[in-house]
Amino acid sequence: MGCKMEAVKAENGPSFGSWVRQVFVWLFVGLLLAFFVAYRTPPAYGWAGFGAFIVTILALLGMWKARGTGAKAVMYLIFTAAMGYSINYIAYYYSVEDVINALFITSGIFFGLIILAFVRPDAFRSNSFGAILGFSLLGIIFMELFAWLFGWGSVFSVTNWIVVLIFMGYTLWDTAKLKERYEAGQSPIYSAAAFFLDFINLFIRILIMTRERD
């Protein structure tokens, strides 16, 4: 196994290496679009922010339901653009230097984890690992919701670290699952969307944490 991307071909499909390249091309396109939208739109306050969240969810669901590659691609682009709009507060509350610094840190962690998971995929691909991550994320969502409702602001300084660890885990898990998803005939757009969520969630929390440290 290891990190070799053998030229295994799905029936009438691309090799595994070619499929993985498509995943990262779509990831790069999605990130570019999200940051472009984030810096070219007015702040997503109130109902606008809530609307962007709903569009993000609907586009993600639409991508999974879409049949053709073109339809999946359109839903993916809507999903990443809506996500970019929902995080556009970074352009108003953080300096360009803060954002670039957080991007460099996030990219280093993200791609380091991907390399690790390609080297040792068996250590991270179990469904139980994915389940642990899912339940942990659900617990953090409820914890942060209660903290927001009751004004427990200090809780977020702890949960930020936990969320970073959870999405580091998701990055390892999503990478280790690539071969399985390829062999199942999944579109590379699905894995690109998973990596997009991993990266954005890591980036936002790292941005907050680096700003708090300063």
Side-chain angles (χ1 to χ4, degrees):
M1 296 215 170
C3 64
K4 294 182 180 178
M5 296 183 198
E6 305 97 329
V8 179
K9 273 200 170 184
E11 189 175 351
N12 298 321
S15 68
F16 178 55
S18 175
W19 185 88
V20 169
R21 283 191 291 274
Q22 291 178 50
V23 169
F24 288 103
V25 167
W26 279 112
L27 170 63
F28 183 69
V29 169
L31 289 172
L32 278 181
L33 179 58
F35 280 98
F36 176 81
V37 171
Y39 276 89
R40 290 292 184 272
T41 52
Y45 293 136
W47 286 106
F50 180 72
F53 172 75
I54 295 300
V55 171
T56 300
I57 299 300
L58 292 177
L60 192 59
L61 292 174
M63 185 185 67
W64 282 100
K65 294 290 186 181
R67 294 187 177 275
T69 300
K72 288 182 177 68
V74 169
M75 289 295 103
Y76 174 75
L77 294 175
I78 294 172
F79 159 68
T80 55
M83 181 67 80
Y85 180 65
S86 69
I87 64 166
N88 68 6
Y89 59 85
I90 66 173
Y92 298 91
Y93 294 113
Y94 298 94
S95 68
V96 173
E97 183 181 356
D98 288 334
V99 171
I100 291 174
N101 183 46
L103 276 173
F104 271 112
I105 295 171
T106 304
S107 298
I109 293 172
F110 184 75
F111 289 107
L113 291 169
I114 286 173
I115 291 170
L116 175 60
F118 268 124
V119 173
R120 296 291 303 277
D122 291 339
F124 308 109
R125 70 158 55 105
S126 71
N127 290 330
S128 58
F129 182 46
I132 290 169
L133 294 171
F135 283 118
S136 299
L137 182 58
L138 190 61
I140 288 296
I141 290 171
F142 280 111
M143 185 183 298
E144 292 194 333
L145 179 60
F146 278 108
W148 178 72
L149 288 174
F150 294 102
W152 302 335
S154 59
V155 170
F156 290 95
S157 62
V158 176
T159 58
N160 283 332
W161 283 98
I162 298 173
V163 171
V164 165
L165 292 174
I166 289 171
F167 280 98
M168 286 174 66
Y170 266 121
T171 301
L172 291 167
W173 190 68
D174 286 326
T175 305
K177 284 285 189 179
L178 285 175
K179 189 69 171 291
E180 184 178 314
R181 292 167 180 171
Y182 164 75
E183 291 173 346
Q186 282 192 8
S187 168
I189 295 173
Y190 294 157
S191 288
F195 279 131
F196 176 88
L197 286 171
D198 297 340
F199 188 96
I200 289 294
N201 281 284
L202 279 171
F203 164 73
I204 291 298
R205 299 301 176 135
I206 288 171
L207 178 61
I208 294 170
M209 287 159 58
T210 53
R211 180 66 177 272
E212 286 177 345
R213 185 186 62 188
D214 296 338

